[in-house]
Amino acid sequence: MVRTLIVVSIAVALNCCGGALAAVDDLYRAQTTVTGQGEANRIIGFAACLEDVLIKVSGALKLAGDPRLAQYKSRAADFVRAHRYHDQMSGTPTRDEQGTRDRPYDLIVDFDQNKIDGVLGALGVKPWLSRRPVVAVFVAMEQGATKYIVTVDAERSLAPREALLAAAARRGMTIVLPGVAALAKAGIDAAELAKVRSSTLAVRAAGQGGEVALVGRLAWDDRALGWTTAWQMEWQGRPRRWQFRTVTFDEAFRRAIGGAAQILSGNGDPL
């Protein structure tokens, strides 16, 4: 399993966080989707990116939705060093008389490091600029009779795999996922995963750079029309466990990776 565990964070490394030691410039960058390139939507995008970058730089997921951020988000442009757009429909002809007004764009924002550090200081949080451990992620997905572990190479893992990578990029983390053959050889399936200690999984991941294991279970609830999630991670000799409900697995992974970052950065356990 150690030999065949594959690092799937190459795209994350190139686009967001470098290796386990994140590049400072990348930590202070965030992006969101906006409609068109008008000023009104750009200001809204700046505010969304400001919250994301404060969480990303500090590792403190607890800042999400913090009412103290309102005063800073209202003037988010003051903290921006540079910004650019990426057309999500590049190469696709326009089909409306407005041209590019209604096209979706990625708004990519670089924030001023000193200003962001100042905001964090005012919020009582420190920037997390030290080396960030590589997280080995083992996630069991359950939807009715369908049960599987998210892997680097299975076709059915494509959507959750991409969501995990996006979550890692957003939080400035590097992750690794197991391969199908590795799990089979180790005799681990979705039913057995919860019985394996996270520290044991971390040891298995160590050969490919995984330093701590994040273990999760997502079960679809037909009544609530959402996912029930449970997570665990052992860090510095102490197991940490948390759970929550959410509508999408994208949000589940963002909160899970963010929770892991909060623990690893010394900002406390996730709620």
Side-chain angles (χ1 to χ4, degrees), residues 94-102:
T94 56
R95 295 182 178 144
D96 59 87
E97 68 278 7
Q98 291 89 10
T100 60
R101 190 185 71 181
D102 296 327

Side-chain angles (χ1 to χ4, degrees), residues 88-110:
Q88 293 184 357
M89 299 176 65
S90 178
T92 303
T94 56
R95 295 182 178 144
D96 59 87
E97 68 278 7
Q98 291 89 10
T100 60
R101 190 185 71 181
D102 296 327
R103 293 168 76 87
Y105 289 86
D106 294 318
L107 174 61
I108 303 164
V109 185
D110 290 310

Side-chain angles (χ1 to χ4, degrees), residues 6-86:
I6 303 173
V7 176
V8 295
S9 56
I10 295 175
V12 178
L14 292 175
N15 293 313
C16 181
C17 63
L21 180 59
V24 171
D25 286 347
D26 292 333
L27 276 182
Y28 290 83
R29 178 178 301 140
Q31 73 177 59
T32 190
T33 299
V34 295
T35 301
Q37 299 185 31
E39 181 179 6
N41 284 339
R42 182 166 60 250
I43 294 302
I44 294 172
F46 283 169
C49 286
L50 177 62
E51 178 169 314
D52 270 350
V53 89
L54 289 170
I55 295 171
K56 183 180 180 183
V57 171
S58 65
L61 182 64
K62 60 187 178 182
L63 291 177
D66 190 320
R68 295 178 298 168
L69 299 186
Q71 61 175 311
Y72 302 108
K73 293 170 72 173
S74 65
R75 53 187 183 90
D78 294 345
F79 306 100
V80 174
R81 179 170 58 83
H83 73 277
R84 64 183 185 278
Y85 291 95
H86 171 259

